[in-house]
Amino acid sequence: MSNFIESHRFQISSSKFPTIAPEIFIKICTDLHPIDLLTLARVCRTFRQYLVSENSTSTNLVWKQARENFLPHYSLPAPPSTTELEYIRLIVEKNCQLCGKKYTFGYRPYFEFMVRCCPTCFNKNLLGVREVKSMFNMNSHILLCLPSFDRGGLKFWIPQVKKFNEEYLTIPDEEKSKWFNQQVIETRNRMSDAHARNANRQNWLNDRVKEIREKQKLRQEAIFAKMTELAAETNNDGTKKFEEVILRFTRYSMDRFFNWGSTQPFSDRSWHMIRPKILAEYAVQYKKFYMKRENE
């Protein structure tokens, strides 16, 4: 790393920034989210040259550390023959690589094909087994060389099928067997890698959902405990301060204040803030309840 740093000392002449020591720049970068790093690489040519250097182990390490620190659902190393930068762009950028449109949801990386796209483009570029055979005149055993996606049957990626078919036609007959066996091994490794990445992401999501639900459960239990304490309060003569039925209606009408879906702990401070509102709402419900009884 030291050799790389010494060879990349720089001064940003096109801006008012002072000279930045590469050691400090590296330290800053390792503390940034990958999205912030991508933004930083667009600031100026110097930053871009430093952060997008393909043959630099230091640059690769910066992106690797950023991914491990901020993207725990993508904790596995970058796929073979893929740099950390390429891998991060694949998983964090929010535009479809085919149509170019930006999406806030619905897009995802498909590691089987190493592409990120929207559902519309993904469905347009899938072919079933029969379609591949008829369109490209391929035998069934040749399909073993192609990565696939299981969606009610094996589906193949049109750009990969076209590229594979063009390459297959240029291979001499005497070398096709060797080439075929090599392609089968590479495809199996690629599919195993894709399955591992999908499983890693799904396991993280499952753990995250479990964690969120546990926090929500703790919050709800704390709210019910406080409401139970409130219902148990008594006057000086030992009679209960609140009627249980009216207090229950009060809680229902106060649901919007409790924010049941939040993962934040329901603290004593939260209770002290919401208790006066509950008492005020209880008074309203109490009046409605007895006015209705009198009218009956």
Side-chain angles (χ1 to χ4, degrees):
M1 181 181 292
S2 59
N3 293 334
F4 179 83
I5 291 174
E6 291 300 327
S7 62
H8 285 76
R9 293 192 174 273
F10 55 84
Q11 183 173 2
I12 308 174
S13 58
S14 59
S15 68
K16 296 182 180 180
F17 285 112
T19 302
I20 300 177
E23 296 87 349
I24 299 176
F25 186 78
I26 288 176
K27 178 59 180 175
I28 294 173
C29 290
T30 54
D31 293 332
L32 293 179
H33 191 282
I35 294 178
D36 296 325
L37 284 177
L38 290 172
T39 303
L40 186 61
R42 301 187 187 102
V43 169
C44 65
R45 183 179 301 175
T46 305
F47 284 179
R48 179 171 180 81
Q49 289 175 347
Y50 189 80
L51 288 172
V52 189
S53 180
E54 297 181 357
N55 300 322
S56 168
T57 55
S58 297
T59 299
N60 215 39
L61 182 61
V62 167
W63 293 101
K64 179 177 180 292
Q65 290 179 344
R67 175 179 56 78
E68 292 176 346
N69 292 339
F70 296 98
L71 303 175
H73 47 308
Y74 294 109
S75 60
L76 295 179
S81 69
T82 303
T83 65
E84 283 287 344
L85 172 57
E86 293 170 340
Y87 185 38
I88 285 177
R89 280 179 170 168
L90 177 68
I91 60 183
V92 303
E93 290 185 341
K94 297 183 178 181
N95 63 302
C96 174
Q97 290 180 318
L98 301 182
C99 67
K101 294 182 180 178
K102 289 189 176 182
Y103 293 84
T104 55
F105 62 91
Y107 71 95
R108 54 160 289 193
Y110 296 91
F111 297 113
E112 296 84 354
F113 312 127
M114 290 303 292
V115 65
R116 179 192 66 255
C117 62
C118 62
T120 301
C121 291
F122 184 70
N123 294 328
K124 285 181 179 179
N125 283 274
L126 288 181
L127 287 178
V129 176
R130 292 184 179 179
E131 295 168 312
V132 172
K133 288 181 180 179
S134 61
M135 290 179 62
F136 297 94
N137 194 26
M138 288 186 179
N139 295 324
S140 299
H141 73 281
I142 298 181
L143 297 181
L144 295 173
C145 298
L146 291 170
S148 60
F149 186 84
D150 192 352
R151 175 176 285 183
L154 294 182
K155 303 291 183 180
F156 301 90
W157 191 243
I158 292 179
Q160 284 186 348
V161 175
K162 290 181 178 179
K163 181 180 178 181
F164 173 84
N165 189 54
E166 292 173 358
E167 186 176 354
Y168 180 77
L169 295 176
T170 61
I171 302 296
D173 292 340
E174 61 274 11
E175 296 181 8
K176 282 186 177 180
S177 178
K178 180 181 178 181
W179 179 84
F180 172 80
N181 293 332
Q182 182 180 354
Q183 291 297 316
V184 169
I185 293 174
E186 290 180 0
T187 298
R188 286 177 179 173
N189 292 338
R190 183 168 184 172
M191 293 299 295
S192 297
D193 181 79
H195 292 158
R197 294 180 191 283
N198 291 331
N200 180 69
R201 179 176 179 272
Q202 190 60 49
N203 290 338
W204 180 87
L205 290 174
N206 292 340
D207 292 341
R208 180 62 177 156
V209 169
K210 184 178 179 181
E211 179 185 350
I212 290 174
R213 288 177 178 173
E214 185 63 29
K215 289 181 178 179
Q216 290 173 340
K217 181 181 177 182
L218 292 175
R219 178 183 176 86
Q220 293 164 11
E221 289 175 349
I223 293 173
F224 281 123
K226 291 295 185 182
M227 291 300 295
T228 302
E229 291 177 6
L230 183 65
E233 290 184 9
T234 58
N235 297 309
N236 294 332
D237 58 0
T239 58
K240 287 189 174 183
K241 283 186 178 181
F242 308 101
E243 295 190 25
E244 186 177 346
V245 175
I246 301 177
L247 193 59
R248 189 181 304 119
F249 278 108
T250 301
R251 184 178 67 79
Y252 293 154
S253 64
M254 293 285 293
D255 271 353
R256 66 186 184 279
F257 293 103
F258 289 121
N259 195 8
W260 298 96
S262 174
T263 58
Q264 295 297 321
F266 190 77
S267 61
D268 289 338
R269 181 174 179 273
S270 301
W271 175 247
H272 290 318
M273 292 177 64
I274 201 172
R275 178 186 165 92
K277 298 178 181 179
I278 295 175
L279 297 180
E281 182 64 22
Y282 177 85
V284 173
Q285 294 296 332
Y286 184 90
K287 185 177 181 180
K288 287 182 179 179
F289 183 81
Y290 279 98
M291 286 182 62
K292 182 178 181 181
R293 178 176 291 184
E294 289 175 0
N295 293 334
E296 292 176 351

